[in-house]
mmCIF file of all heavy atoms in Angstrom:
data_model
loop_
_atom_site.group_PDB
_atom_site.id
_atom_site.type_symbol
_atom_site.label_atom_id
_atom_site.label_comp_id
_atom_site.label_asym_id
_atom_site.label_seq_id
_atom_site.Cartn_x
_atom_site.Cartn_y
_atom_site.Cartn_z
ATOM 1 N N SER N 427 -15.166 -41.997 -0.197
ATOM 2 C CA SER N 427 -16.441 -41.829 0.505
ATOM 3 C C SER N 427 -17.616 -41.944 -0.467
ATOM 4 O O SER N 427 -18.699 -42.429 -0.085
ATOM 5 C CB SER N 427 -16.485 -40.483 1.227
ATOM 6 O OG SER N 427 -16.406 -39.408 0.297
ATOM 7 N N ARG N 428 -17.421 -41.513 -1.711
ATOM 8 C CA ARG N 428 -18.479 -41.651 -2.710
ATOM 9 C C ARG N 428 -18.769 -43.121 -2.999
ATOM 10 O O ARG N 428 -19.936 -43.541 -3.058
ATOM 11 C CB ARG N 428 -18.079 -40.934 -4.005
ATOM 12 C CG ARG N 428 -19.175 -40.958 -5.065
ATOM 13 C CD ARG N 428 -18.699 -40.356 -6.370
ATOM 14 N NE ARG N 428 -18.441 -38.921 -6.239
ATOM 15 C CZ ARG N 428 -17.235 -38.366 -6.325
ATOM 16 N NH1 ARG N 428 -16.161 -39.131 -6.517
ATOM 17 N NH2 ARG N 428 -17.093 -37.068 -6.210
ATOM 18 N N GLU N 429 -17.712 -43.906 -3.168
ATOM 19 C CA GLU N 429 -17.898 -45.335 -3.411
ATOM 20 C C GLU N 429 -18.501 -46.026 -2.194
ATOM 21 O O GLU N 429 -19.369 -46.911 -2.326
ATOM 22 C CB GLU N 429 -16.545 -45.975 -3.767
ATOM 23 C CG GLU N 429 -15.999 -45.564 -5.122
ATOM 24 C CD GLU N 429 -16.937 -45.929 -6.251
ATOM 25 O OE1 GLU N 429 -17.483 -47.057 -6.217
ATOM 26 O OE2 GLU N 429 -17.140 -45.095 -7.153
ATOM 27 N N ALA N 430 -18.053 -45.604 -1.009
ATOM 28 C CA ALA N 430 -18.600 -46.199 0.220
ATOM 29 C C ALA N 430 -20.085 -45.898 0.352
ATOM 30 O O ALA N 430 -20.874 -46.760 0.797
ATOM 31 C CB ALA N 430 -17.836 -45.676 1.432
ATOM 32 N N LEU N 431 -20.501 -44.690 -0.029
ATOM 33 C CA LEU N 431 -21.908 -44.316 0.054
ATOM 34 C C LEU N 431 -22.749 -45.129 -0.928
ATOM 35 O O LEU N 431 -23.854 -45.591 -0.595
ATOM 36 C CB LEU N 431 -22.067 -42.824 -0.214
ATOM 37 C CG LEU N 431 -23.495 -42.277 -0.178
ATOM 38 C CD1 LEU N 431 -24.127 -42.534 1.198
ATOM 39 C CD2 LEU N 431 -23.520 -40.783 -0.509
ATOM 40 N N LYS N 432 -22.216 -45.305 -2.152
ATOM 41 C CA LYS N 432 -22.952 -46.102 -3.138
ATOM 42 C C LYS N 432 -23.156 -47.537 -2.639
ATOM 43 O O LYS N 432 -24.246 -48.110 -2.768
ATOM 44 C CB LYS N 432 -22.195 -46.113 -4.465
ATOM 45 C CG LYS N 432 -22.214 -44.794 -5.212
ATOM 46 C CD LYS N 432 -21.426 -44.904 -6.517
ATOM 47 C CE LYS N 432 -21.452 -43.585 -7.277
ATOM 48 N NZ LYS N 432 -20.652 -43.663 -8.539
ATOM 49 N N LEU N 433 -22.085 -48.122 -2.089
ATOM 50 C CA LEU N 433 -22.185 -49.480 -1.571
ATOM 51 C C LEU N 433 -23.162 -49.560 -0.398
ATOM 52 O O LEU N 433 -23.956 -50.517 -0.293
ATOM 53 C CB LEU N 433 -20.804 -49.983 -1.138
ATOM 54 C CG LEU N 433 -19.783 -50.194 -2.267
ATOM 55 C CD1 LEU N 433 -18.416 -50.536 -1.674
ATOM 56 C CD2 LEU N 433 -20.260 -51.305 -3.209
ATOM 57 N N ALA N 434 -23.108 -48.561 0.489
ATOM 58 C CA ALA N 434 -23.999 -48.543 1.647
ATOM 59 C C ALA N 434 -25.454 -48.410 1.217
ATOM 60 O O ALA N 434 -26.352 -49.049 1.803
ATOM 61 C CB ALA N 434 -23.614 -47.412 2.593
ATOM 62 N N GLN N 435 -25.722 -47.580 0.186
ATOM 63 C CA GLN N 435 -27.091 -47.408 -0.300
ATOM 64 C C GLN N 435 -27.621 -48.720 -0.892
ATOM 65 O O GLN N 435 -28.774 -49.125 -0.633
ATOM 66 C CB GLN N 435 -27.128 -46.293 -1.348
ATOM 67 C CG GLN N 435 -26.954 -44.908 -0.770
ATOM 68 C CD GLN N 435 -26.824 -43.841 -1.849
ATOM 69 O OE1 GLN N 435 -26.411 -44.134 -2.975
ATOM 70 N NE2 GLN N 435 -27.157 -42.608 -1.497
ATOM 71 N N ALA N 436 -26.765 -49.370 -1.729
ATOM 72 C CA ALA N 436 -27.186 -50.638 -2.348
ATOM 73 C C ALA N 436 -27.426 -51.697 -1.288
ATOM 74 O O ALA N 436 -28.419 -52.466 -1.348
ATOM 75 C CB ALA N 436 -26.133 -51.109 -3.342
ATOM 76 N N SER N 437 -26.556 -51.761 -0.309
ATOM 77 C CA SER N 437 -26.694 -52.753 0.752
ATOM 78 C C SER N 437 -27.934 -52.486 1.596
ATOM 79 O O SER N 437 -28.645 -53.419 1.999
ATOM 80 C CB SER N 437 -25.439 -52.763 1.629
ATOM 81 O OG SER N 437 -25.542 -53.679 2.685
ATOM 82 N N TYR N 438 -28.220 -51.204 1.835
ATOM 83 C CA TYR N 438 -29.381 -50.843 2.653
ATOM 84 C C TYR N 438 -30.675 -51.172 1.923
ATOM 85 O O TYR N 438 -31.632 -51.698 2.536
ATOM 86 C CB TYR N 438 -29.314 -49.348 2.984
ATOM 87 C CG TYR N 438 -30.431 -48.859 3.865
ATOM 88 C CD1 TYR N 438 -30.517 -49.257 5.195
ATOM 89 C CD2 TYR N 438 -31.402 -47.990 3.364
ATOM 90 C CE1 TYR N 438 -31.547 -48.811 6.003
ATOM 91 C CE2 TYR N 438 -32.429 -47.533 4.171
ATOM 92 C CZ TYR N 438 -32.505 -47.942 5.494
ATOM 93 O OH TYR N 438 -33.525 -47.499 6.291
ATOM 94 N N ARG N 439 -30.714 -50.901 0.610
ATOM 95 C CA ARG N 439 -31.913 -51.226 -0.163
ATOM 96 C C ARG N 439 -32.167 -52.737 -0.185
ATOM 97 O O ARG N 439 -33.312 -53.196 -0.198
ATOM 98 C CB ARG N 439 -31.776 -50.708 -1.591
ATOM 99 C CG ARG N 439 -31.841 -49.203 -1.733
ATOM 100 C CD ARG N 439 -31.953 -48.791 -3.192
ATOM 101 N NE ARG N 439 -31.924 -47.342 -3.356
ATOM 102 C CZ ARG N 439 -30.839 -46.638 -3.656
ATOM 103 N NH1 ARG N 439 -29.675 -47.278 -3.820
ATOM 104 N NH2 ARG N 439 -30.890 -45.336 -3.771
ATOM 105 N N ALA N 440 -31.056 -53.481 -0.231
ATOM 106 C CA ALA N 440 -31.188 -54.938 -0.275
ATOM 107 C C ALA N 440 -31.445 -55.538 1.095
ATOM 108 O O ALA N 440 -31.673 -56.751 1.216
ATOM 109 C CB ALA N 440 -29.928 -55.552 -0.881
ATOM 110 N N GLY N 441 -31.395 -54.706 2.120
ATOM 111 C CA GLY N 441 -31.637 -55.181 3.472
ATOM 112 C C GLY N 441 -30.459 -55.899 4.082
ATOM 113 O O GLY N 441 -30.614 -56.582 5.108
ATOM 114 N N ALA N 442 -29.269 -55.733 3.481
ATOM 115 C CA ALA N 442 -28.088 -56.437 3.979
ATOM 116 C C ALA N 442 -27.367 -55.670 5.068
ATOM 117 O O ALA N 442 -26.479 -56.230 5.726
ATOM 118 C CB ALA N 442 -27.130 -56.715 2.822
ATOM 119 N N SER N 443 -27.681 -54.381 5.232
ATOM 120 C CA SER N 443 -27.030 -53.582 6.270
ATOM 121 C C SER N 443 -28.055 -52.695 6.947
ATOM 122 O O SER N 443 -29.134 -52.432 6.400
ATOM 123 C CB SER N 443 -25.897 -52.730 5.681
ATOM 124 O OG SER N 443 -26.407 -51.798 4.763
ATOM 125 N N ASP N 444 -27.701 -52.204 8.113
ATOM 126 C CA ASP N 444 -28.640 -51.362 8.844
ATOM 127 C C ASP N 444 -28.505 -49.896 8.430
ATOM 128 O O ASP N 444 -27.601 -49.506 7.702
ATOM 129 C CB ASP N 444 -28.443 -51.530 10.351
ATOM 130 C CG ASP N 444 -27.028 -51.174 10.789
ATOM 131 O OD1 ASP N 444 -26.257 -50.647 9.960
ATOM 132 O OD2 ASP N 444 -26.689 -51.435 11.964
#
Side-chain angles (χ1 to χ4, degrees):
S427 63
R428 184 185 293 113
E429 290 300 317
L431 179 59
K432 289 180 179 178
L433 293 173
Q435 288 173 335
S437 178
Y438 182 69
R439 289 190 184 97
S443 64
D444 59 9

